[in-house]
Amino acid sequence: MMAQAPEILDQLATAVVVLDNTLRVGYLNQAAESLFGKSSQRIVGKEVRELFVDPAERASALRNTLDTGQPYTKRRAVLSSNGRDDLRADYSVELLENGELLIEIEPLDRFLRINRGDEHLALQETTRKLVRGLAHEIKNPLGGIRGAAQLLERELKSTGQREYTKVIIEEADRLRNLVDRMLGSNERPRFERVNVHRVLERVIHLIEAECPERIAFVRDYDLGLPEIEGDSGKLIQAILNIFRNAEEALTDTPNPRISVSTRAVRQFTIGRHRHRVVVKVEIVDNGPGIPADIADRIYYPMISGRPDGTGLGLSITQNIVGQHNGVMECDSEPGKTAFALFIPLEQPNDE
C-alpha cells in the first residue's frame, strides 16, 4: 500500500480491509476495527475467515478475484464475525496493482443507527419542550394556590382549620418539586477529564450497598480507554438511574445479573455529527424486559413499568446524555434489556 494510505483510510467511515495474496489480513482501518471489534495487532496476519465470512458466497470467490482480477460487489449480505452478531452490509472486492485485495464494507446497520439517533435527538427535544410547557402551565397556578393558602392561614383562628391550609401548602410544594424534577437541572455540565470506569464502579458500589449480594455484577471493561470529557456527578446520576431501573426489574428474577461493558467506537455518527471516537457504555440485565406497550415511550416523563414508579429516571438520564452531546439506545426482550450510552471522547470546542 502507499506510504500515506493508512492515514487517509483511517479518516473514512467506510470499513476497509486489505488482504495479501494468501488471503491473510494485511491491514484494516479504524472503521473496520470498530465494525468487527478486532484490533489490528490481533488480526493482521490471520486468515480473513477469522475476521469475517460471507456464508452465502462461495469460499473461492476471493481467490477468484486474486486470479482473474475480476471485482465483484454484494448487496445486503449477511456477514458472520467470530464472537459478534451477524452484520448486514454491502461490500465490494477489487484487486490492487500490487496484487493485494481491497475490501470495502458499508454496514447497513450504520444507516439504521443514524436514523435511530436522529429519532432519539428529536424525541429528546420534543420531550424538553413538552415538559417545559407543562411546567409553566402547572407552576403558575400552583404559586397562586400556595399564596392564597398562606393568606387564608393568617386569617384563621382555629388550629384545626389551619391544618387544612397546611395540607394545601405541603401538597403544592410537593407538586412543584415534582415539576422541578421533571425539568431536570438547567445547570450546564462542568466538563473535566473523567475515568468512565471510576464512574461505573461508584454506581455499582451504591447499588451493592442497597441490595448486598442479591445481584451479580459482570464487568467487561476496556481498560485501555482514555478519559472522556464529562461531568462526573451528572454521569453518575445518569448511569445510576439505569442501574436502579435494572435493580427493580430484577426483583423476581432468579439469579439476577447486571453486565457492564465499555468499548471505544471509532467514526461514530450522532445526529449529523461524526465523532472520531466515542465511548460506548452498555448495561444489560437479565430481567423480564420492558413491557411492549411502553417500549416506545420510555424516555417520556411519567412513563413507568412499575405501579409506584415516577417515570423520571430515563428522562433525566437522556437529558444528561444529551448535555454531553451523546445518545442512548435501548433493546429489550424477555430475559435481556440492554441500554447503551454513546458519549464523545472529546466535546466540541463550542460547547
Side-chain angles (χ1 to χ4, degrees):
M1 297 179 64
M2 294 183 300
Q4 303 204 353
E7 289 77 6
I8 297 172
L9 294 177
D10 277 341
Q11 303 306 313
L12 298 178
T14 303
V16 175
V17 179
V18 176
L19 307 181
D20 63 19
N21 57 12
T22 66
L23 298 183
R24 294 180 180 272
V25 178
Y27 167 81
L28 65 165
N29 69 351
Q30 293 181 353
E33 288 182 326
S34 174
L35 182 64
F36 295 111
K38 303 284 180 65
S39 67
S40 295
Q41 291 85 351
R42 291 187 178 183
I43 202 66
V44 167
K46 302 290 183 63
E47 294 183 8
V48 64
R49 65 186 179 187
E50 296 194 29
L51 184 63
F52 74 90
V53 294
D54 180 355
E57 186 57 84
R58 293 177 294 112
S60 60
L62 293 175
R63 171 58 61 184
N64 183 65
T65 299
L66 272 177
D67 294 338
T68 66
Q70 184 66 37
Y72 69 93
T73 298
K74 287 291 296 291
R75 301 293 183 189
R76 299 187 177 278
V78 179
L79 305 181
S80 297
S81 180
N82 186 27
R84 295 176 69 89
D85 294 336
D86 288 346
L87 170 74
R88 292 184 301 152
D90 296 338
Y91 73 92
S92 61
V93 180
E94 64 178 298
L95 184 66
L96 299 176
E97 292 181 358
N98 62 1
E100 296 177 322
L101 282 185
L102 176 70
I103 306 176
E104 293 184 75
I105 305 166
E106 187 66 72
L108 300 178
D109 294 339
R110 173 174 174 267
F111 296 109
L112 295 175
R113 175 178 47 74
I114 290 174
N115 289 336
R116 288 199 304 268
D118 287 344
E119 290 173 1
H120 289 161
L121 293 174
L123 172 60
Q124 182 175 309
E125 182 61 24
T126 300
T127 302
R128 184 182 298 113
K129 290 179 179 179
L130 173 65
V131 170
R132 294 198 182 283
L134 285 173
H136 176 76
E137 295 298 324
I138 293 173
K139 292 182 77 171
N140 280 349
L142 274 181
I145 292 170
R146 192 182 193 284
Q150 287 178 315
L151 292 174
L152 180 60
E153 186 177 36
R154 296 173 188 171
E155 300 296 326
L156 295 174
K157 306 300 182 183
S158 167
T159 302
Q161 290 177 328
R162 287 181 177 176
E163 286 296 320
Y164 294 121
T165 57
K166 183 179 179 182
V167 169
I168 294 172
I169 293 169
E170 289 177 349
E171 288 302 297
D173 287 343
R174 185 179 66 83
L175 288 174
R176 183 192 61 198
N177 292 336
L178 178 60
V179 171
D180 287 340
R181 289 177 61 198
M182 289 173 61
L183 286 171
S185 173
N186 287 325
E187 182 181 354
R188 293 176 64 84
R190 299 180 181 179
F191 290 115
E192 58 185 359
R193 306 308 300 182
V194 176
N195 184 318
V196 70
H197 298 130
R198 289 183 181 175
V199 170
L200 290 168
E201 287 302 306
R202 173 68 181 278
V203 171
I204 290 174
H205 289 159
L206 290 172
I207 297 296
E208 285 181 328
E210 295 174 359
C211 52
E213 300 182 357
R214 187 176 75 85
I215 298 174
F217 292 92
V218 180
R219 299 164 173 86
D220 181 13
Y221 294 161
D222 179 353
L223 298 180
L225 283 181
E227 293 181 333
I228 66 172
E229 289 185 8
D231 185 314
S232 179
K234 284 181 174 288
L235 289 174
I236 288 173
Q237 179 185 5
I239 294 172
L240 182 60
N241 289 340
I242 297 176
F243 269 81
R244 284 216 168 105
N245 282 354
E247 173 195 356
E248 292 167 356
L250 293 170
T251 300
D252 299 320
T253 299
N255 304 314
R257 182 180 67 256
I258 298 177
S259 302
V260 193
S261 65
T262 59
R263 293 290 185 272
V265 183
R266 301 181 184 276
Q267 306 301 337
F268 190 90
T269 302
I270 298 176
R272 294 301 168 187
H273 186 78
R274 183 159 64 94
H275 297 272
R276 186 174 61 86
V277 182
V278 301
V279 170
K280 176 184 178 182
V281 176
E282 188 170 48
I283 302 160
V284 183
D285 70 68
N286 64 334
I290 297 171
D293 59 334
I294 65 168
D296 295 333
R297 298 177 289 126
I298 56 174
Y299 299 114
Y300 284 120
M302 315 306 293
I303 300 297
S304 175
R306 306 187 312 276
D308 57 344
T310 63
L312 296 179
L314 290 180
S315 177
I316 292 171
T317 294
Q318 186 190 53
N319 182 55
I320 292 173
V321 173
Q323 288 178 331
H324 285 75
N325 296 292
V327 69
M328 291 176 62
E329 293 184 358
C330 175
D331 289 308
S332 183
E333 60 186 39
K336 180 182 179 182
T337 296
F339 280 93
L341 279 59
F342 299 90
I343 300 176
L345 189 68
E346 298 176 351
Q347 294 296 322
N349 293 330
D350 59 338
E351 287 296 319

